[in-house]
Amino acid sequence: QRRPIGWLDLAWLVLLVIVAGWTFVLARPSAAAVRYPLEYAPLPIVVWGALRYGPRGGCLAAFVVSVLALTGAALNAGPFLAKSTSTKEAILLLQAFIGTISSTALLLSGTVAERAAAETSLRQLNEDLEARVGQRTAQLRLERDRADRLLRNVLPAAIIDRFTKEQLADQPLLAAETIAEIYDEAVVLFADIVNFTSYAAEIPPLDLLTFLNHIFSRFDRLAQEYGLEKIKTIGDAYMVVAGLPEPHPDGLGAIAHMALAMQAAICLL
């Protein structure tokens, strides 16, 4: 795994290159070793520097090896003069060596740089995708909560819970079994505002809606207080039931108290 090069890494890499270069590039080889291309022994270190530390490591290693090779040739040492019969041949061997080391370092450094750029781009795309997925998930959760609140304003909580259980069982919300039950006892209350038609003709529509919302909000709190279930509102009509969808221990009494409380609430307006 490639990581940024630090001062300690720099010193370690240079030390390895100097030791290998001094042994195989700067020193004059023995007569038995001349037949072998030992001057290319530092090449694996150059490759390792490029793969480990990126372009900086590869180029640095190649530069140090090239300097050692030039120094050995200038000091009349090194393997290039020992392997050649003339100065021209030694220069050609030295050029081939430096070209091989440098081109290898540059090619590997370029490859590593392109790979690092591709990894960075892929990582950025992955982060963007995760952010989009998180944003979309939050939007879906918001829409689901909004739909749930809407359903709970329209349908009783027990019915919503039943729908939810059917959804968890991988059944469509509206394609599940028909919900139809028999209740032995239920009490229904219908309430209308007296003279609402004439009153509605005398005030602006916005004031009328505000008035109805204020009244029905109080009625909703009363229904919740007495354990009743609001069925619907139509205009100024308010319909509430006791014993549906859950049985009520005293449905008739709760409806009676609800009716008196509704009259008291109207009187307070």
Side-chain angles (χ1 to χ4, degrees):
Q1 182 180 1
R2 188 177 64 85
R3 59 188 178 87
I5 184 171
W7 289 107
L8 184 60
D9 301 319
L10 179 65
W12 175 247
L13 178 61
V14 171
L15 179 61
L16 287 178
V17 174
I18 289 177
V19 171
W22 191 282
T23 304
F24 299 103
V25 178
L26 188 60
R28 178 179 290 273
S30 62
V34 169
R35 69 183 70 177
Y36 303 107
L38 297 180
E39 64 272 14
Y40 287 93
L43 182 59
I45 300 179
V46 176
V47 174
W48 175 79
L51 295 178
R52 181 66 172 174
Y53 301 112
R56 294 178 60 186
C59 293
L60 177 62
F63 174 76
V64 174
V65 173
S66 300
V67 170
L68 291 176
L70 291 173
T71 303
L75 296 177
N76 198 21
F80 306 104
L81 292 176
K83 291 184 177 183
S84 59
T85 58
S86 63
T87 304
K88 182 178 180 180
E89 184 179 357
I91 293 175
L92 291 177
L93 292 176
L94 180 61
Q95 290 177 344
F97 172 77
I98 294 177
T100 301
I101 294 293
S102 301
S103 60
T104 302
L106 291 175
L107 287 175
L108 286 177
S109 299
T111 302
V112 171
E114 290 180 359
R115 180 179 178 182
E119 290 177 352
T120 302
S121 178
L122 184 61
R123 189 180 304 110
Q124 184 64 37
L125 289 176
N126 186 42
E127 292 177 356
D128 294 342
L129 180 60
E130 291 180 353
R132 291 181 181 179
V133 170
Q135 183 179 6
R136 184 57 179 168
T137 302
Q139 292 178 352
L140 290 176
R141 187 180 298 111
L142 179 62
E143 293 297 331
R144 182 172 181 176
D145 293 341
R146 186 178 302 172
D148 184 73
R149 288 195 301 269
L150 179 61
L151 286 176
R152 291 186 181 276
N153 288 332
V154 176
L155 299 175
I159 303 300
I160 297 299
D161 295 337
R162 188 166 177 178
F163 280 154
T164 303
K165 292 179 181 179
E166 292 175 352
Q167 280 187 298
L168 293 177
D170 296 332
Q171 299 183 22
L173 180 62
L174 297 180
E177 61 176 326
T178 303
I179 299 178
E181 297 182 1
I182 298 177
Y183 292 88
D184 296 332
E185 182 178 347
V187 184
V188 181
L189 170 65
F190 293 94
D192 283 323
I193 300 177
V194 179
N195 297 326
F196 175 77
T197 303
S198 58
Y199 176 75
E202 298 175 357
I203 63 174
L206 181 60
D207 295 339
L208 179 62
L209 291 177
T210 303
F211 172 74
L212 289 176
N213 182 66
H214 187 63
I215 292 177
F216 291 154
S217 296
R218 288 194 177 188
F219 289 174
D220 291 342
R221 289 192 292 269
L222 292 174
Q224 185 177 6
E225 178 181 350
Y226 290 109
L228 307 177
E229 186 71 39
K230 183 184 76 171
I231 302 301
K232 62 180 178 179
T233 58
I234 302 178
D236 64 321
Y238 189 89
M239 180 180 178
V240 66
V241 62
L244 297 178
E246 299 294 336
H248 197 288
D250 185 19
L252 186 59
I255 286 292
H257 285 91
M258 173 73 177
L260 296 175
M262 293 170 69
Q263 289 182 339
I266 290 293
C267 293
L268 294 176
L269 294 178

